[in-house]
C-alpha cells in the first residue's frame, strides 16, 4: 500500500539525514550557549556587537552634571557618559554592582555583591578594603566624608573620609536604599517594611505600617520623604509619621525621585 511505501521512504530519509549530520556533530561537538559578560577588544575573542557599548543589565545610575554620569550593573560593568557617548571603565570585578553615588566627578562610589565597594578618584576605580561577605545594595551620602552603604542582613557601613566602619542597624533584614538631608538625618529602607533613621548617633526604627519590601527612599527636605516598594507601595514622611499613599498600581515600584515636593515620580520594572 502507498502508506507503507511512504513510511519506508521516510525511515530511509531520516537515516540519510542522520548520516549527513553525524560528521558535523562529531567535528564540532555538542553546542553550548555562550553569553558575553564584558566588553572585550582583540583577536580571537568575543566582542559585543549589539547593543553597544555593551549588553549587561544596568542597575543604578548617578551623575554630577551633563558630562559626568555613571551607570553600574552585571559582572562589574561600569559605564561613563562624557557628554557625547557612553564608554566602559574597568572595575576590576566580575561581581554584580547594584548602586552608585558620588559627591563630584572625582569622588564616586559603587557597591555590590560580596561586600564590594569601589571608589573612583577621577582616574581609576580602586577596591576598598572591606571584610564583609554579604552583598551591598545601595550607597548614598551628604559629602565626601559622610557616605553610607547598605545591604544584606541589616548591613550599614559608613565612610568618614578615611575608612569604612560598620554601624549597628539592630536589624537582620536586607536593607536596600539610603537617603537623607544632612549627616544627622539619614533614612534607610528595606525588607518587610523596614525603615530606620540616623540621628547622628544611633539608628532607630520607625513604624512603616507595611510588611512589603521597600526598595528606594528619596526626599526633598526633612518633612517630605517618600519610600516605595513591593505591590505598588508608596509611603510618605511628613515630619512626624509615615503614611500610605495610593499609587494606583499593583506593580513593584523600584525607584522614586522628584524636582520638589509637588513633582515626584515613582517607577516600576
Amino acid at each position: 500500500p502507498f502508506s507503507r511505501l511512504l513510511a519506508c521512504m521516510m525511515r530511509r530519509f531520516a537515516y540519510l539525514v542522520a548520516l549527513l549530520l553525524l560528521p558535523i556533530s562529531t567535528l564540532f561537538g555538542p553546542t553550548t550557549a555562550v553569553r558575553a559578560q564584558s566588553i572585550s577588544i582583540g583577536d580571537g575573542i568575543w566582542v559585543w556587537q549589539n547593543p553597544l557599548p555593551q549588553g549587561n543589565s544596568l542597575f543604578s545610575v548617578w551623575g554630577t552634571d551633563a558630562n559626568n554620569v555613571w551607570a553600574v550593573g552585571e559582572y562589574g560593568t561600569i559605564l561613563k557618559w562624557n557628554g557625547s557617548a557612553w564608554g566602559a571603565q574597568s572595575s576590576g570585578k566580575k561581581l554584580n554592582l547594584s548602586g552608585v553615588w558620588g559627591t563630584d566627578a572625582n569622588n564616586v562610589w559603587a557597591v555590590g555583591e560580596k561586600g564590594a565597594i569601589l571608589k573612583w578618584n577621577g582616574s581609576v576605580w580602586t577596591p576598598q578594603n572591606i571584610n564583609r561577605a554579604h552583598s551591598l545594595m545601595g550607597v548614598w551620602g551628604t559629602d565626601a566624608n559622610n557616605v553610607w552603604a547598605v545591604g544584606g542582613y541589616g548591613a550599614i557601613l559608613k565612610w568618614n573620609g578615611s575608612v569604612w566602619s560598620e554601624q549597628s542597624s539592630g536589624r537582620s533584614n536586607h536593607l536596600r536604599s539610603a537617603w537623607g538631608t544632612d549627616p544627622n538625618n539619614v533614612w534607610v529602607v528595606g525588607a518587610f517594611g523596614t525603615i530606620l533613621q540616623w540621628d547622628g548617633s544611633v539608628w532607630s526604627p520607625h513604624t512603616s505600617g507595611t510588611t512589603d519590601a521597600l526598595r528606594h527612599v528619596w526626599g526633598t527636605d526633612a518633612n517630605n520623604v517618600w519610600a516605595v516598594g513591593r505591590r505598588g507601595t508608596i509611603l510618605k514622611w511628613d515630619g512626624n509619621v509615615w503614611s500610605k499613599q495610593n499609587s494606583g498600581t499593583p506593580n513593584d515600584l523600584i525607584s522614586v525621585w522628584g524636582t520638589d515636593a509637588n513633582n515626584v515620580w515613582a517607577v516600576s520594572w
Side-chain angles (χ1 to χ4, degrees):
F2 179 78
S3 59
R4 183 175 298 178
L5 177 62
L6 179 61
C8 182
M9 292 176 62
M10 290 299 294
R11 284 196 299 271
R12 291 185 179 182
F13 178 77
Y15 180 73
L16 178 61
V17 170
L19 289 177
L20 290 172
L21 289 178
L22 179 61
I24 297 176
S25 61
T26 303
L27 177 62
F28 293 102
T31 57
T32 302
V34 177
R35 180 182 182 183
Q37 295 185 356
S38 62
I39 298 173
S40 302
I41 298 175
D43 294 331
I45 58 176
W46 288 95
V47 297
W48 282 113
Q49 294 295 313
N50 184 66
L52 291 175
Q54 60 91 51
N56 293 323
S57 296
L58 301 173
F59 302 135
S60 183
V61 61
W62 177 89
T64 60
D65 54 59
N67 299 320
N68 290 280
V69 183
W70 285 265
V72 301
E74 285 184 307
Y75 307 113
T77 298
I78 300 180
L79 304 178
K80 183 180 184 294
W81 174 258
N82 63 8
S84 58
W86 288 97
Q89 294 187 327
S90 175
S91 68
K93 298 285 185 180
K94 292 297 182 183
L95 303 171
N96 292 345
L97 299 175
S98 55
V100 61
W101 180 88
T103 59
D104 55 59
N106 298 317
N107 288 279
V108 185
W109 290 265
V111 301
E113 288 182 319
K114 298 183 179 180
I117 299 181
L118 307 174
K119 186 178 186 295
W120 172 256
N121 64 3
S123 300
V124 296
W125 288 94
T126 55
Q128 306 287 283
N129 294 321
I130 304 297
N131 185 23
R132 187 169 186 84
H134 301 311
S135 294
L136 296 172
M137 303 174 188
V139 59
W140 179 89
T142 59
D143 54 66
N145 298 320
N146 290 278
V147 183
W148 285 266
V150 301
Y153 301 97
I156 299 180
L157 303 175
K158 184 179 184 296
W159 172 258
N160 65 3
S162 301
V163 297
W164 287 93
S165 59
E166 193 157 358
Q167 295 184 327
S168 175
S169 69
R171 292 290 183 273
S172 60
N173 300 333
H174 294 344
L175 303 176
R176 292 187 173 274
S177 176
W179 178 88
T181 58
D182 58 65
N184 298 319
N185 184 44
V186 182
W187 296 95
V188 167
V189 300
F192 301 106
T194 299
I195 298 180
L196 305 174
Q197 185 182 26
W198 173 255
D199 64 3
S201 300
V202 297
W203 288 96
S204 301
H206 277 249
T207 300
S208 67
T210 183
T211 57
D212 286 323
L214 300 173
R215 297 181 180 274
H216 196 233
V217 60
W218 176 88
T220 59
D221 54 62
N223 298 322
N224 290 279
V225 185
W226 286 266
V228 301
R230 189 168 176 264
R231 297 192 297 186
T233 298
I234 297 181
L235 306 178
K236 184 180 185 295
W237 172 256
D238 63 3
N240 295 298
V241 296
W242 286 93
S243 58
K244 282 190 175 183
Q245 292 187 327
N246 182 20
S247 68
T249 179
N251 297 329
D252 292 354
L253 299 174
I254 60 171
S255 187
V256 58
W257 181 86
T259 56
D260 54 58
N262 296 319
N263 292 278
V264 182
W265 291 265
V267 297
S268 181
W269 294 107

